[in-house]
PDB file of all heavy atoms in Angstrom:
ATOM      1  N   PHE V 198      -9.938   2.811  -7.697  1.00 92.00           N
ATOM      2  CA  PHE V 198      -9.940   1.483  -8.308  1.00 92.00           C
ATOM      3  C   PHE V 198      -8.648   0.780  -7.978  1.00 92.00           C
ATOM      4  O   PHE V 198      -8.648  -0.460  -7.610  1.00 92.00           O
ATOM      5  CB  PHE V 198     -10.127   1.625  -9.827  1.00 92.00           C
ATOM      6  CG  PHE V 198     -10.053   0.277 -10.497  1.00 92.00           C
ATOM      7  CD1 PHE V 198     -11.115  -0.575 -10.631  1.00 92.00           C
ATOM      8  CD2 PHE V 198      -8.838  -0.157 -11.035  1.00 92.00           C
ATOM      9  CE1 PHE V 198     -11.084  -1.788 -11.196  1.00 92.00           C
ATOM     10  CE2 PHE V 198      -8.728  -1.463 -11.703  1.00 92.00           C
ATOM     11  CZ  PHE V 198      -9.875  -2.247 -11.799  1.00 92.00           C
ATOM     12  N   LEU V 199      -7.533   1.442  -8.096  1.00 90.00           N
ATOM     13  CA  LEU V 199      -6.247   0.767  -7.833  1.00 90.00           C
ATOM     14  C   LEU V 199      -6.177   0.387  -6.340  1.00 90.00           C
ATOM     15  O   LEU V 199      -5.685  -0.749  -6.028  1.00 90.00           O
ATOM     16  CB  LEU V 199      -5.051   1.700  -8.148  1.00 90.00           C
ATOM     17  CG  LEU V 199      -4.890   2.076  -9.602  1.00 90.00           C
ATOM     18  CD1 LEU V 199      -3.767   3.153  -9.732  1.00 90.00           C
ATOM     19  CD2 LEU V 199      -4.547   0.813 -10.380  1.00 90.00           C
ATOM     20  N   SER V 200      -6.670   1.198  -5.443  1.00 92.00           N
ATOM     21  CA  SER V 200      -6.653   0.939  -4.030  1.00 92.00           C
ATOM     22  C   SER V 200      -7.574  -0.285  -3.725  1.00 92.00           C
ATOM     23  O   SER V 200      -7.206  -1.201  -2.996  1.00 92.00           O
ATOM     24  CB  SER V 200      -7.114   2.135  -3.189  1.00 92.00           C
ATOM     25  OG  SER V 200      -7.238   1.869  -1.843  1.00 92.00           O
ATOM     26  N   PHE V 201      -8.800  -0.258  -4.244  1.00 94.00           N
ATOM     27  CA  PHE V 201      -9.792  -1.339  -3.967  1.00 94.00           C
ATOM     28  C   PHE V 201      -9.353  -2.665  -4.604  1.00 94.00           C
ATOM     29  O   PHE V 201      -9.463  -3.745  -3.979  1.00 94.00           O
ATOM     30  CB  PHE V 201     -11.169  -0.975  -4.504  1.00 94.00           C
ATOM     31  CG  PHE V 201     -11.759   0.250  -3.882  1.00 94.00           C
ATOM     32  CD1 PHE V 201     -12.883   0.905  -4.399  1.00 94.00           C
ATOM     33  CD2 PHE V 201     -11.215   0.781  -2.672  1.00 94.00           C
ATOM     34  CE1 PHE V 201     -13.419   2.023  -3.833  1.00 94.00           C
ATOM     35  CE2 PHE V 201     -11.781   1.888  -2.047  1.00 94.00           C
ATOM     36  CZ  PHE V 201     -12.878   2.542  -2.610  1.00 94.00           C
ATOM     37  N   TRP V 202      -8.916  -2.628  -5.848  1.00 92.00           N
ATOM     38  CA  TRP V 202      -8.550  -3.835  -6.515  1.00 92.00           C
ATOM     39  C   TRP V 202      -7.301  -4.528  -5.902  1.00 92.00           C
ATOM     40  O   TRP V 202      -7.302  -5.792  -5.844  1.00 92.00           O
ATOM     41  CB  TRP V 202      -8.201  -3.534  -8.010  1.00 92.00           C
ATOM     42  CG  TRP V 202      -7.949  -4.709  -8.857  1.00 92.00           C
ATOM     43  CD1 TRP V 202      -6.744  -5.315  -9.129  1.00 92.00           C
ATOM     44  CD2 TRP V 202      -8.962  -5.563  -9.542  1.00 92.00           C
ATOM     45  NE1 TRP V 202      -6.896  -6.433  -9.927  1.00 92.00           N
ATOM     46  CE2 TRP V 202      -8.297  -6.611 -10.172  1.00 92.00           C
ATOM     47  CE3 TRP V 202     -10.324  -5.497  -9.600  1.00 92.00           C
ATOM     48  CZ2 TRP V 202      -8.932  -7.564 -10.943  1.00 92.00           C
ATOM     49  CZ3 TRP V 202     -10.956  -6.405 -10.406  1.00 92.00           C
ATOM     50  CH2 TRP V 202     -10.301  -7.463 -10.982  1.00 92.00           C
ATOM     51  N   ASN V 203      -6.345  -3.733  -5.437  1.00 90.00           N
ATOM     52  CA  ASN V 203      -5.181  -4.331  -4.840  1.00 90.00           C
ATOM     53  C   ASN V 203      -5.232  -4.521  -3.335  1.00 90.00           C
ATOM     54  O   ASN V 203      -4.274  -4.991  -2.773  1.00 90.00           O
ATOM     55  CB  ASN V 203      -3.951  -3.436  -5.188  1.00 90.00           C
ATOM     56  CG  ASN V 203      -3.649  -3.351  -6.657  1.00 90.00           C
ATOM     57  OD1 ASN V 203      -3.676  -4.391  -7.323  1.00 90.00           O
ATOM     58  ND2 ASN V 203      -3.298  -2.146  -7.146  1.00 90.00           N
ATOM     59  N   GLU V 204      -6.386  -4.281  -2.734  1.00 90.00           N
ATOM     60  CA  GLU V 204      -6.566  -4.391  -1.267  1.00 90.00           C
ATOM     61  C   GLU V 204      -6.392  -5.899  -0.890  1.00 90.00           C
ATOM     62  O   GLU V 204      -7.027  -6.738  -1.462  1.00 90.00           O
ATOM     63  CB  GLU V 204      -7.885  -3.834  -0.859  1.00 90.00           C
ATOM     64  CG  GLU V 204      -7.907  -3.399   0.573  1.00 90.00           C
ATOM     65  CD  GLU V 204      -7.875  -4.538   1.595  1.00 90.00           C
ATOM     66  OE1 GLU V 204      -8.545  -5.582   1.268  1.00 90.00           O
ATOM     67  OE2 GLU V 204      -7.233  -4.447   2.579  1.00 90.00           O
ATOM     68  N   TYR V 205      -5.557  -6.208   0.050  1.00 89.00           N
ATOM     69  CA  TYR V 205      -5.297  -7.554   0.438  1.00 89.00           C
ATOM     70  C   TYR V 205      -5.649  -7.878   1.913  1.00 89.00           C
ATOM     71  O   TYR V 205      -6.339  -8.796   2.249  1.00 89.00           O
ATOM     72  CB  TYR V 205      -3.831  -7.929   0.185  1.00 89.00           C
ATOM     73  CG  TYR V 205      -3.406  -9.268   0.720  1.00 89.00           C
ATOM     74  CD1 TYR V 205      -3.868 -10.414   0.035  1.00 89.00           C
ATOM     75  CD2 TYR V 205      -2.595  -9.396   1.833  1.00 89.00           C
ATOM     76  CE1 TYR V 205      -3.479 -11.687   0.511  1.00 89.00           C
ATOM     77  CE2 TYR V 205      -2.254 -10.673   2.295  1.00 89.00           C
ATOM     78  CZ  TYR V 205      -2.701 -11.794   1.601  1.00 89.00           C
ATOM     79  OH  TYR V 205      -2.348 -13.044   2.088  1.00 89.00           O
ATOM     80  N   LEU V 206      -5.210  -6.995   2.805  1.00 88.00           N
ATOM     81  CA  LEU V 206      -5.260  -7.241   4.241  1.00 88.00           C
ATOM     82  C   LEU V 206      -6.704  -7.453   4.720  1.00 88.00           C
ATOM     83  O   LEU V 206      -7.069  -8.503   5.287  1.00 88.00           O
ATOM     84  CB  LEU V 206      -4.553  -6.211   5.080  1.00 88.00           C
ATOM     85  CG  LEU V 206      -4.541  -6.413   6.528  1.00 88.00           C
ATOM     86  CD1 LEU V 206      -3.829  -7.670   6.910  1.00 88.00           C
ATOM     87  CD2 LEU V 206      -3.922  -5.192   7.283  1.00 88.00           C
ATOM     88  N   TYR V 207      -7.523  -6.412   4.430  1.00 90.00           N
ATOM     89  CA  TYR V 207      -8.946  -6.490   4.887  1.00 90.00           C
ATOM     90  C   TYR V 207      -9.686  -7.606   4.190  1.00 90.00           C
ATOM     91  O   TYR V 207     -10.601  -8.268   4.700  1.00 90.00           O
ATOM     92  CB  TYR V 207      -9.620  -5.133   4.654  1.00 90.00           C
ATOM     93  CG  TYR V 207      -9.208  -4.117   5.690  1.00 90.00           C
ATOM     94  CD1 TYR V 207      -8.437  -3.081   5.378  1.00 90.00           C
ATOM     95  CD2 TYR V 207      -9.660  -4.218   7.033  1.00 90.00           C
ATOM     96  CE1 TYR V 207      -7.988  -2.166   6.371  1.00 90.00           C
ATOM     97  CE2 TYR V 207      -9.307  -3.264   7.974  1.00 90.00           C
ATOM     98  CZ  TYR V 207      -8.485  -2.261   7.612  1.00 90.00           C
ATOM     99  OH  TYR V 207      -8.090  -1.290   8.588  1.00 90.00           O
ATOM    100  N   SER V 208      -9.373  -7.800   2.872  1.00 90.00           N
ATOM    101  CA  SER V 208     -10.045  -8.892   2.152  1.00 90.00           C
ATOM    102  C   SER V 208      -9.751 -10.226   2.695  1.00 90.00           C
ATOM    103  O   SER V 208     -10.690 -11.080   2.837  1.00 90.00           O
ATOM    104  CB  SER V 208      -9.579  -8.865   0.609  1.00 90.00           C
ATOM    105  OG  SER V 208      -9.889  -7.623   0.045  1.00 90.00           O
ATOM    106  N   LEU V 209      -8.535 -10.466   3.143  1.00 89.00           N
ATOM    107  CA  LEU V 209      -8.119 -11.736   3.774  1.00 89.00           C
ATOM    108  C   LEU V 209      -8.789 -11.935   5.144  1.00 89.00           C
ATOM    109  O   LEU V 209      -9.290 -12.999   5.462  1.00 89.00           O
ATOM    110  CB  LEU V 209      -6.584 -11.838   3.894  1.00 89.00           C
ATOM    111  CG  LEU V 209      -6.080 -13.066   4.546  1.00 89.00           C
ATOM    112  CD1 LEU V 209      -6.420 -14.313   3.653  1.00 89.00           C
ATOM    113  CD2 LEU V 209      -4.547 -12.943   4.722  1.00 89.00           C
ATOM    114  N   ILE V 210      -8.793 -10.875   5.947  1.00 88.00           N
ATOM    115  CA  ILE V 210      -9.329 -10.936   7.303  1.00 88.00           C
ATOM    116  C   ILE V 210     -10.888 -11.029   7.271  1.00 88.00           C
ATOM    117  O   ILE V 210     -11.491 -11.856   7.926  1.00 88.00           O
ATOM    118  CB  ILE V 210      -8.909  -9.695   8.129  1.00 88.00           C
ATOM    119  CG1 ILE V 210      -7.412  -9.705   8.245  1.00 88.00           C
ATOM    120  CG2 ILE V 210      -9.580  -9.801   9.570  1.00 88.00           C
ATOM    121  CD1 ILE V 210      -6.791 -10.887   8.892  1.00 88.00           C
ATOM    122  N   ILE V 211     -11.550 -10.180   6.474  1.00 88.00           N
ATOM    123  CA  ILE V 211     -12.990 -10.094   6.492  1.00 88.00           C
ATOM    124  C   ILE V 211     -13.655 -11.253   5.674  1.00 88.00           C
ATOM    125  O   ILE V 211     -14.538 -11.934   6.178  1.00 88.00           O
ATOM    126  CB  ILE V 211     -13.451  -8.751   5.918  1.00 88.00           C
ATOM    127  CG1 ILE V 211     -12.851  -7.590   6.775  1.00 88.00           C
ATOM    128  CG2 ILE V 211     -15.011  -8.669   5.911  1.00 88.00           C
ATOM    129  CD1 ILE V 211     -13.329  -7.621   8.232  1.00 88.00           C
TER     130      ILE V 211
END
Side-chain angles (χ1 to χ4, degrees):
F198 176 84
L199 294 175
S200 175
F201 296 166
W202 185 267
N203 294 320
E204 204 289 320
Y205 173 73
L206 181 61
Y207 284 107
S208 299
L209 179 63
I210 299 298
I211 300 299

